[in-house]
């Protein structure tokens, strides 16, 4: 399986501000020496030597992720503002010809997970087929409500692609094409949300965004540990610092330290920190990431758990 991230922010989109762009440029220039900018190769090497926040950005689009099986069949997870870029990209494939097919997993329907759907161009083309799958028995009505005229000038019915909706029970295993199977597990979040475990040929990717795990729940977490166990990739909600999570009980999100504890106990191979707080700039996210690495080293210095920070364009293959 391959997983690619198109939107990694939570709650609301947070595009990089003009002053932040200027700050990045000033920092890069202050670090550069004459030999760093002699030619294209030296510039490239110099930029690669900088911290992620100095030379790039984690991105400001809200939740959207794609998974591909070994034949390239597409699974879309949620539809935040990152969905727009995914739609533009796949228009160069069969979706631009009206012959595309994709499974579309909905974890829940808070705004930051559906904001991009009205701007997803492949939905306009007749012949494309999108199979919406969720543990919400009224998912179609929820999306139709998003498109009422007072909210958006085009109705959901106006999108000419074939749209089908399948309700599944929590824990029910379903086939997403010929190779991937998946099942869900409810997670704590205001209004409800569901995580999903995707499996292909003994490999597992778990998407567990918008999930609150706090100290109280950590005392009775065995069923979740079994669910997360031995995942090759665990995409996990780490919107808050640990201190913030103590102040925001029942807000529906977790911290990097809790995510790390869970990943270690479940023997996860790769933990992907996800659903970044919209108030965090790139430098703050760098610090959050470094703090997570230090926390892991404190409790499991010789372990094999790899921790990475999600950013737009990140691709992982398992």
């Amino acid at each position: 399986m391959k997983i690619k991230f198109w939107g990694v922010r939570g709650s609301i989109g947070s595009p990089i501000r003009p002053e932040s762009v200027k700050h990045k440029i000033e920092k890069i220039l202050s670090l550069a020496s004459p030999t760093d900018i002699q030619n294209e190769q030296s510039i490239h090497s110099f930029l690669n030597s900088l911290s992620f926040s100095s030379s790039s950005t984690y991105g400001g689009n809200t939740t959207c992720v794609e998974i591909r099986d070994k034949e390239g069949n597409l699974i879309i997870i949620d539809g935040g503002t990152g969905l727009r870029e995914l739609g533009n990209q796949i228009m160069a494939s069969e979706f631009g010809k009206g012959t595309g097919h994709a499974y579309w997993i909905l974890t829940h329907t808070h705004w930051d997970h559906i904001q991009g759907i009205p701007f997803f161009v492949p939905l306009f083309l007749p012949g494309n087929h999108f199979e919406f799958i969720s543990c919400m028995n009224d998912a179609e009505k929820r999306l139709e409500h998003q498109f009422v005229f007072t909210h958006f000038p085009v109705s959901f019915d106006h999108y000419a692609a074939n749209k089908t909706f399948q309700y599944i029970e929590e824990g029910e295993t379903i086939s997403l094409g010929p190779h991937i199977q998946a099942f869900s597990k409810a997670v704590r979040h205001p209004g409800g949300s569901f995580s999903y475990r995707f499996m292909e040929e003994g490999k597992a990717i778990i998407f567990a965004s918008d999930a609150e795990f706090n100290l109280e729940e950590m005392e009775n977490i065995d069923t979740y540990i079994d669910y997360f166990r031995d995942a090759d990739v665990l995409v996990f909600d780490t919107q808050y610092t640990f201190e913030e999570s103590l102040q925001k009980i029942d807000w529906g999100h977790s911290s990097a330290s809790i995510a790390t504890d869970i990943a270690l106990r479940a023997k996860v191979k790769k933990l992907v920190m996800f659903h970044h707080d919209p108030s965090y700039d790139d430098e703050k996210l760098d610090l959050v990431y470094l703090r997570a690495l230090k926390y892991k080293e404190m409790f499991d210095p010789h372990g094999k758990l790899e921790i990475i920070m999600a950013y737009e364009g990140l691709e992982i293959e398992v």
Side-chain angles (χ1 to χ4, degrees):
M1 287 180 289
K2 294 181 181 180
I3 181 170
K4 184 171 182 178
F5 295 81
W6 294 92
V8 300
R9 291 280 176 171
S11 301
I12 192 170
S14 52
I16 187 170
R17 298 186 300 274
E19 58 267 28
S20 296
V21 175
K22 183 178 179 181
H23 175 70
K24 286 178 184 287
I25 296 172
E26 290 174 341
K27 186 173 182 179
I28 289 172
L29 292 176
S30 71
L31 295 172
S33 66
T35 57
D36 291 325
I37 54 175
Q38 283 183 334
N39 52 51
E40 185 176 343
Q41 182 177 355
S42 64
I43 292 173
H44 183 74
S45 297
F46 168 63
L47 291 177
N48 284 340
S49 72
L50 300 175
S51 68
F52 188 87
S53 66
S54 296
S55 61
S56 189
T57 181
Y58 289 96
N61 282 301
T62 59
T63 302
C64 181
V65 172
E66 74 167 89
I67 291 178
R68 299 270 184 173
D69 68 14
K70 64 181 183 180
E71 292 183 0
N73 296 304
L74 175 61
I75 300 169
I76 301 171
I77 303 176
D78 285 341
T81 58
L83 178 68
R84 176 178 171 274
E85 288 298 324
L86 169 59
N88 293 341
Q89 195 255 4
I90 64 176
M91 282 295 290
S93 67
E94 65 272 17
F95 289 93
K97 304 172 184 177
T99 58
H101 173 272
Y103 298 97
W104 200 327
I105 301 292
L106 295 175
T107 63
H108 65 307
T109 52
H110 283 168
W111 284 121
D112 54 327
H113 292 253
I114 62 173
Q115 288 164 328
I117 295 177
F119 305 96
F120 185 63
V121 176
L123 270 177
F124 280 100
L125 274 66
N128 286 333
H129 182 196
F130 296 95
E131 295 188 49
F132 289 87
I133 299 169
S134 75
C135 294
M136 301 170 288
N137 59 14
D138 60 346
E140 184 173 10
K141 290 183 178 179
R142 294 188 188 197
L143 295 188
E144 287 174 349
H145 180 66
Q146 181 187 17
F147 288 81
V148 297
F149 191 71
T150 53
H151 294 167
F152 196 74
V154 179
S155 71
F156 195 42
D157 290 339
H158 185 77
Y159 292 74
N162 183 22
K163 306 178 291 295
T164 57
F165 288 80
Q166 180 181 354
Y167 166 73
I168 59 172
E169 296 282 352
E170 178 188 359
E172 176 186 351
T173 299
I174 57 170
S175 294
L176 304 175
H179 304 293
I180 293 181
Q181 291 187 313
F183 64 93
S184 64
K185 188 169 181 62
V187 288
R188 180 177 176 179
H189 192 70
S193 184
F194 292 86
S195 66
Y196 288 83
R197 182 175 179 122
F198 302 89
M199 301 159 291
E200 181 184 31
E201 296 183 348
K203 302 292 186 177
I205 294 174
I206 299 177
F207 183 82
S209 182
D210 293 67
E212 180 174 355
F213 289 87
N214 53 40
L215 292 176
E216 179 181 337
E217 289 185 328
M218 289 297 287
E219 296 177 358
N220 187 27
I221 199 174
D222 288 346
T223 60
Y224 282 99
I225 295 300
D226 290 340
Y227 172 69
F228 294 134
R229 192 174 305 282
D230 296 325
D232 294 275
V233 176
L234 171 59
V235 182
F236 201 91
D237 185 320
T238 58
Q239 179 158 337
Y240 302 138
T241 64
F242 180 72
E243 293 79 8
E244 288 171 337
S245 69
L246 296 178
Q247 300 168 0
K248 298 179 178 180
I249 301 295
D250 293 332
W251 285 39
H253 302 287
S254 298
S255 66
S257 55
I258 290 290
T260 302
D261 287 337
I262 291 173
L264 289 173
R265 289 179 60 179
K267 301 186 184 310
V268 169
K269 296 179 180 65
K270 192 188 302 286
L271 170 65
V272 183
M273 297 169 62
F274 186 75
H275 208 268
H276 309 320
D277 193 281
S279 68
Y280 292 2
D281 61 16
D282 290 318
E283 289 186 343
K284 174 67 176 289
L285 287 173
D286 267 358
L287 293 174
V288 170
Y289 177 52
L290 291 173
R291 188 176 177 182
L293 294 180
K294 290 180 180 178
Y295 182 83
K296 186 265 178 186
E297 288 302 310
M298 287 172 54
F299 293 96
D300 190 46
H302 305 297
K304 297 181 180 180
L305 172 66
E306 179 184 2
I307 302 177
I308 59 178
M309 185 76 91
Y311 59 86
E312 290 180 21
L314 172 64
E315 297 183 72
I316 301 172
E317 183 173 355
V318 298

